[in-house]
Amino acid sequence: MSQILGTELPDRALSHLQVGRLVIMATVDGRGRPDTAPMSWVTALDHRTIRVAVSPEVSTYRNILENDRVMLSLIGGTMTLSISGRARVLAESIEEVPFPMAMVEVLVDEVKDDCLIGRGTTDDAVRWEDRRRAVSDMRVEHALRRAPVEPELVTPLQPQISVEY
């Protein structure tokens, strides 16, 4: 369960998006599959613009050249945000950096708050920070591991992409 916050970064995201903070960037590869990578050289210029230093030798860079759709995930403290946008390479190299790094700019399309994980027994919204007070991670892991698989409830996976060798 998520809440769309709009097309601008909230102030807490603007403060978080500074170089040295880890975010996860998702891109789309040439076969249409998601590709994620950790990024720490990220900074927000304003409520609609994020810049990232990306090595031109990694799939993230190549994916952006082919498909400009990206998503950044900010997870930490009480913040769980997904930021979708369009990326473009501003510079193939950053002069101040002594090794190959490209400058990528992300223009924010939508910000989504993913901190709601569903509804509780009283139909009140349950937030991520509330879950630790309600149940331990070990209890959930135990339940996931001990639950039997019921074959009639399992949906077979259908390949979405044909692969030629």
Side-chain angles (χ1 to χ4, degrees):
M1 180 172 230
S2 302
Q3 177 183 9
I4 304 300
L5 300 180
T7 59
E8 294 190 353
L9 298 170
D11 289 337
R12 61 192 164 124
L14 200 62
S15 298
H16 184 84
L17 286 168
Q18 302 304 322
V19 169
R21 296 279 178 92
L22 186 65
V23 302
I24 302 299
M25 179 181 249
T27 57
V28 180
D29 72 14
R31 294 165 63 181
R33 296 186 298 189
D35 182 36
T36 59
M39 300 283 164
S40 63
W41 289 348
V42 180
T43 191
L45 298 182
D46 56 42
H47 291 278
R48 299 288 317 267
T49 312
I50 300 167
R51 287 200 180 153
V52 185
V54 178
S55 169
E57 299 172 10
V58 299
S59 60
T60 299
Y61 179 81
R62 291 188 300 275
N63 293 344
I64 288 169
L65 293 176
E66 292 182 26
N67 184 331
D68 66 350
R69 302 301 299 161
V70 299
M71 180 170 278
L72 297 169
S73 293
L74 282 60
I75 302 171
T78 60
M79 186 165 35
T80 311
L81 298 176
S82 296
I83 302 162
S84 61
R86 297 192 177 271
R88 61 184 175 167
V89 176
L90 289 183
E92 291 181 356
S93 66
I94 301 174
E95 194 173 304
E96 295 88 353
V97 178
F99 42 86
M101 293 301 281
M103 184 183 306
V104 172
E105 184 171 82
V106 177
L107 302 176
V108 176
D109 287 336
E110 182 177 85
V111 179
K112 181 175 62 151
D113 189 341
D114 292 315
C115 73
L116 295 177
I117 61 173
R119 298 278 175 193
T121 54
T122 61
D123 206 33
D124 292 330
V126 176
R127 302 177 73 81
W128 279 105
E129 61 265 23
D130 297 334
R131 81 183 174 121
R132 284 216 189 270
R133 290 190 291 272
V135 64
S136 73
D137 290 341
M138 299 229 2
R139 184 173 164 193
V140 173
E141 180 182 7
H142 179 71
L144 292 171
R145 290 188 181 278
R146 70 181 167 93
V149 175
E150 299 179 31
E152 65 275 2
L153 298 179
V154 176
T155 305
L157 294 175
Q158 300 297 321
Q160 299 295 315
I161 300 173
S162 62
V163 179
E164 295 180 24
Y165 295 99

